Amino acid sequence: MNHLKNKNTRFIKEAALISFGVISACFGLKSFLMPNHFIDGGVTGISLLISTLTDWNLSYLIVIINIPFILMGYKQIGPGFAIKTSIAIVALSLALIFLPFAPITHDKLLIAFFGGFFLGGGIGLAMRGGCVIDGTEVLALYISRNSMFTVGNIILILNIIIFAFAAYFLNIETALYAILTYLSASNTIDFIVNGLEAYTGVTIISEKNEEIKHFIINNMKRGVTIYKGEGGYLEKKDIDIIYTVVTKLEMSKLQSEIRQIDPDAFVVQQQIADIKGGVVKRQVLH
């Protein structure tokens, strides 16, 4: 009964985060960026750039351009992530059509700052809900596992290419404001989710450590390290302590499973700026 209640609570929380994320991103786009032909980085920036150059409907472009990244997310992270991402992206597309947000300002600095702020806030909230509404992060995670570059390096390189196209096809001033929009959005995302490229080191102490270890190794395809310890407060002997490293996009999945296996498990999380080697980057996410 508790497991069902926890699952329902988690579902409601994720749905609320994704919903607020979609609304925030839509507000940033319709009230700031779109009316003034500003662009951002990432897949959203590509969509805005194409829409500005061709007058194609942005709501359709966001769905079409994100399709390859949704498929990549399905292979890299799992069907649950892909389904939630698909729903969030379609919801954003519909919000752009139906939500009556009006332009707020024509001051370029305000547009760049607040457009990036609300768009980045939307992306960050969606990530906290277990999905993305901009496929750049999924692509960056995929490339980082097969190269020497970090996620941050890859996102920076991709955005430099986008801004270069903006400078060539539009003008340099628009590209410079796009950089400000991107910086505002990326800092907002960092504030909300503490950085996509930060991995999470997880220490787990549980009487059901074998079940948890089996799930991490066989279901998540992650490596684990087992420390031998003993309890201090309750003076328990021979405690197996599990340590593993996962990406932020996997963290909610691991937390949910630990709660189902052992609601009383003691779990400690530590943020890791980046890692090299190991099972996290070698294996495909599930």
Side-chain angles (χ1 to χ4, degrees), residues 142-143 286:
Y142 173 77
I143 296 175
H286 291 278

Side-chain angles (χ1 to χ4, degrees), residues 62 96 164-165 248:
I62 284 177
L96 289 171
F165 272 93
K248 276 192 167 296

Side-chain angles (χ1 to χ4, degrees), residues 21-33:
V22 167
I23 293 171
S24 177
C26 179
F27 180 66
L29 289 168
K30 291 194 73 173
S31 294
F32 294 96
L33 302 182

Side-chain angles (χ1 to χ4, degrees), residues 9-10 47 54 64 77 80 97 103 116 119 121 126 130 193 241 277-278 282:
T9 301
R10 178 168 169 262
S47 303
T54 63
I64 294 169
I77 301 170
I97 297 173
L119 179 59
V193 299
I241 303 169
R282 289 204 311 268

Side-chain angles (χ1 to χ4, degrees), residues 192-204:
I192 293 175
V193 299
N194 200 26
L196 176 69
E197 65 180 346
Y199 293 87
T200 302
V202 188
T203 302
I204 307 161

Side-chain angles (χ1 to χ4, degrees), residues 200-206 208-226 241-246 250-251 253-255 257-258 261 267 279-280 283-286:
T200 302
V202 188
T203 302
I204 307 161
I205 301 175
S206 169
K208 298 181 180 179
N209 55 71
E210 283 298 322
E211 293 179 48
I212 296 173
K213 181 176 73 173
H214 182 274
F215 173 79
I216 295 171
I217 294 174
N218 294 285
N219 293 73
M220 299 189 70
K221 306 300 181 184
R222 294 287 145 262
V224 298
T225 298
I226 305 298
I241 303 169
I242 300 172
Y243 181 81
T244 188
V245 177
V246 297
E250 294 175 290
M251 194 60 226
K253 180 179 179 180
L254 178 59
Q255 288 175 327
E257 190 65 25
I258 291 174
I261 294 173
V267 181
V279 179
V280 175
Q283 295 284 357
V284 176
L285 298 179
H286 291 278

Side-chain angles (χ1 to χ4, degrees), residues 46 49 154-168:
I46 296 172
L49 179 59
I154 295 162
I155 291 177
L156 179 61
I157 291 169
L158 291 173
N159 285 319
I160 288 173
I161 295 171
I162 294 169
F163 299 144
F165 272 93
Y168 180 79

